[in-house]
Amino acid sequence: MILIGPPGSGKTRLAKKIAEFVCGEGNYYLVTANAEWTHFDVIGGPFIEGYNPVSDKNIHDSHGGVLKVNFRLGFLSKAILKHYESCMNNRSPHWLIIDEINRANLDLAFGEAFTALDIEHRDEVILVSPDDLEKVSEEEFEEIISSYWDIPDTVNVNAKYALKNGLKIPKNFRVLATLNPYDKAILHKLGYAFRRRFAFVRVPGILEDLYMSSQQPTPQRGEAPSGASSEEKAMEGSKVRSILDISNGAVNIYGKYIDNVLREVKNWLEDIRNTIDDPLDNVLGVPKDLLEALIGGDVYKKFNDAFLELEDRLRKIVAYAISLLEFDVSKAPIIDIGYAELVDLAKFVIIYSVLCGDCSDNNVIRAFDYALSSYIIPQLEYLSNLIIGDINLREKVKERLLRKYNEFREYGLWNAVIELINIARNFGIQLETEREALRR
């Protein structure tokens, strides 16, 4: 997850609080990105220490001496080792926080870790081979973790022996990051494929928060149930249409794609059933005890029941998300979308509904608003590379964004409104009227 917002908006503090809520106090590894990062800094690499008695770890220099070659671990590898130990000893994860992530050239620095950021492929990617792990000095190893892990219900286990098959990223390991969108002249852009592996959560500054508050619809007297929340009262009392009013005919246009998305969601539910008790490969990333305390019951049953209740509405919101990026089906797409973003969107709506204990239409719309602004709209950033110097394409993109901007406002998708405004601003496109802009 990437927290995006202006400097001083509390992104780093929030990342720490999220990590501590799930992992425990101080149970995270914090680094600040910089433009000099390479594979060596992130994953690790050979490191020549100096003269040492001959061994299979040594190489000869040109003067007949012997140099000792160790393997020095990068910060990602160190964070994963700490995660292994924490899960084994305490059944709690240990996550990585990268501050100012867009200061680094991530495509260059992450290398093979790029694929392993996707949970689905983590079993297939070995970050550090067994041979390289053997070359990590005992001193460095013991600075990171204990030599022996005190695993519950078993004897102490040698850490290096436990990692005899190499270092992989466990499925419950997560990376939190912060991103500052304001210093574009000195920062790197995130590639489309890299962005796809993260959810983007906006942390608003003061003025954006004021704007969001000013845009919320005002409830009309006596039209909402007395027990409803203020947000629900606003939804009930306004004339806002609902994305859930989409016709079945519109959903059927994308039927085969929606079926594939929901098939992946069902596979994910099975993964929850099969891994919830695993200290390292729990796909939800949150310890079972904490999840059960949060949702008040059996984890798999809660998630599966929510899916069954939400399935028809998930079809509608997935259809709407596809239509967002569909500029003109009669021509080659300007920007395409894969299944992964749509699967993540559907998962988010299910998770949000379970955590809230609420599968009502209002809550589904609220969840969809968050998911749309986190998983789908950020992918539009890619358009900035395409419209430079192409006036016709720029006008076409502007017309489409303006139409969606008005549609989001009509539907009451206020997080999506803000995200679309910020994306368009990066293109030099103004979506708001002068009056609306002045209110900001």
Side-chain angles (χ1 to χ4, degrees):
M1 179 173 64
I2 294 179
L3 303 174
I4 179 171
S9 56
K11 302 183 297 296
T12 307
R13 183 185 300 114
L14 179 58
K16 290 179 179 179
K17 286 185 176 181
I18 293 170
E20 290 192 334
F21 178 77
V22 176
C23 306
E25 185 175 354
N27 214 16
Y28 55 80
Y29 195 94
L30 175 65
V31 294
T32 302
N34 69 72
E36 306 301 320
W37 273 1
T38 66
H39 180 277
F40 185 91
D41 300 289
V42 178
I43 297 174
F47 180 75
I48 299 175
E49 283 202 293
Y51 291 96
N52 199 57
V54 178
S55 77
D56 59 354
K57 297 180 184 178
N58 299 333
I59 61 173
H60 292 270
D61 69 7
S62 58
H63 302 291
V66 178
L67 299 176
K68 181 181 180 183
V69 179
N70 285 334
F71 188 92
R72 179 165 289 182
L73 296 168
F75 67 80
L76 177 61
S77 300
K78 290 178 181 178
I80 293 168
L81 281 175
K82 286 180 174 291
H83 177 81
Y84 268 100
E85 181 178 51
S86 184
C87 287
M88 290 292 98
N89 290 354
N90 307 314
R91 295 280 171 157
S92 61
H94 186 105
W95 290 353
L96 173 65
I97 300 175
I98 304 177
D99 204 20
E100 303 284 353
I101 191 171
N102 50 334
R103 292 186 178 276
N105 185 339
L106 299 173
D107 291 336
L108 171 67
F110 269 73
E112 58 264 41
F114 183 87
T115 301
L117 289 175
D118 194 321
I119 293 175
E120 183 178 346
H121 304 303
R122 290 187 179 181
D123 288 336
E124 303 164 21
V125 179
I126 298 176
L127 287 188
V128 183
S129 70
D131 288 344
D132 285 336
L133 275 178
E134 276 297 315
K135 295 174 185 176
V136 177
S137 69
E138 293 299 328
E139 293 80 5
E140 181 181 3
F141 212 85
E142 291 178 5
E143 284 178 7
I144 305 169
I145 59 175
S146 305
S147 296
Y148 287 84
W149 292 342
D150 185 16
I151 302 176
D153 303 323
T154 188
V155 297
N156 287 355
V157 175
N158 180 282
K160 281 194 173 182
Y161 177 78
L163 298 167
K164 63 183 183 297
N165 294 321
L167 184 65
K168 298 180 179 180
I169 303 182
K171 289 183 178 177
N172 65 340
F173 180 78
R174 297 291 185 270
V175 178
L176 306 179
T178 68
L179 185 150
N180 167 19
Y182 285 81
D183 297 331
K184 285 188 173 294
I186 62 172
L187 301 181
H188 292 272
K189 283 191 174 183
L190 302 187
Y192 183 80
F194 199 94
R195 297 177 72 90
R196 207 280 297 158
R197 285 164 165 79
F198 285 86
F200 287 77
V201 177
R202 185 162 293 279
V203 181
I206 294 172
L207 299 181
E208 187 172 296
D209 191 57
L210 285 171
Y211 175 76
M212 286 282 285
S213 299
S214 73
Q215 295 298 299
Q216 297 296 328
T218 303
Q220 299 174 7
R221 189 184 300 273
E223 290 199 9
S226 58
S229 69
S230 59
E231 190 172 355
E232 288 169 332
K233 289 176 183 177
M235 293 282 291
E236 292 290 336
S238 69
K239 296 184 184 300
V240 173
R241 289 195 299 139
S242 169
I243 57 169
L244 300 179
D245 292 336
I246 295 173
S247 68
N248 289 329
V251 174
N252 291 339
I253 294 174
Y254 307 111
K256 69 177 182 180
Y257 309 112
I258 297 171
D259 288 343
N260 289 338
V261 169
L262 296 187
R263 186 180 303 114
E264 288 300 314
V265 172
K266 290 175 183 176
N267 291 338
W268 169 69
L269 290 169
E270 281 303 305
D271 285 342
I272 292 175
R273 186 211 292 262
N274 296 330
T275 67
I276 190 63
D277 292 311
D278 193 309
L280 285 170
D281 281 334
N282 171 7
V283 295
L284 289 173
V286 180
K288 178 183 178 182
D289 292 347
L290 177 58
L291 270 175
E292 288 181 337
L294 287 172
I295 66 178
D298 180 87
V299 175
Y300 169 73
K301 186 177 188 306
K302 288 277 187 178
F303 278 81
N304 193 58
D305 288 350
F307 169 74
L308 295 175
E309 186 172 347
L310 295 169
E311 186 170 1
D312 288 341
R313 285 170 286 176
L314 288 174
R315 289 182 173 278
K316 293 186 176 185
I317 62 178
V318 170
Y320 184 78
I322 296 173
S323 73
L324 171 63
L325 298 181
E326 183 191 305
F327 278 65
D328 185 349
V329 294
S330 65
K331 301 177 182 178
I334 300 174
I335 182 172
D336 211 341
I337 187 171
Y339 286 107
E341 294 97 326
L342 300 172
V343 172
D344 287 342
L345 181 146
K347 290 178 185 177
F348 182 96
V349 173
I350 294 170
I351 292 171
Y352 189 91
S353 300
V354 170
L355 289 175
C356 293
D358 182 1
C359 291
S360 68
D361 285 356
N362 284 346
N363 203 53
V364 169
I365 293 170
R366 190 180 301 119
F368 176 65
D369 185 20
Y370 288 130
L372 193 64
S373 60
S374 296
Y375 293 103
I376 307 299
I377 297 177
Q379 308 305 328
L380 294 172
E381 182 76 34
Y382 176 71
L383 287 171
S384 64
N385 299 322
L386 303 179
I387 65 176
I388 296 173
D390 190 330
I391 296 175
N392 291 331
L393 180 57
R394 176 187 172 83
E395 287 305 308
K396 182 178 180 181
V397 168
K398 180 178 179 180
E399 183 275 332
R400 180 66 172 183
L401 293 181
L402 184 59
R403 184 156 24 113
K404 285 300 174 183
Y405 165 75
N406 290 324
E407 201 172 278
F408 291 166
R409 289 172 61 88
E410 187 178 0
Y411 283 146
L413 302 172
W414 301 109
N415 288 287
V417 166
I418 289 295
E419 192 63 35
L420 202 63
I421 288 172
N422 284 296
I423 289 287
R425 186 189 295 139
N426 293 340
F427 305 160
I429 294 174
Q430 181 73 37
L431 295 180
E432 304 161 292
T433 64
E434 288 186 14
R435 183 177 178 182
E436 289 168 342
L438 285 171
R439 291 181 67 184
R440 275 170 68 80

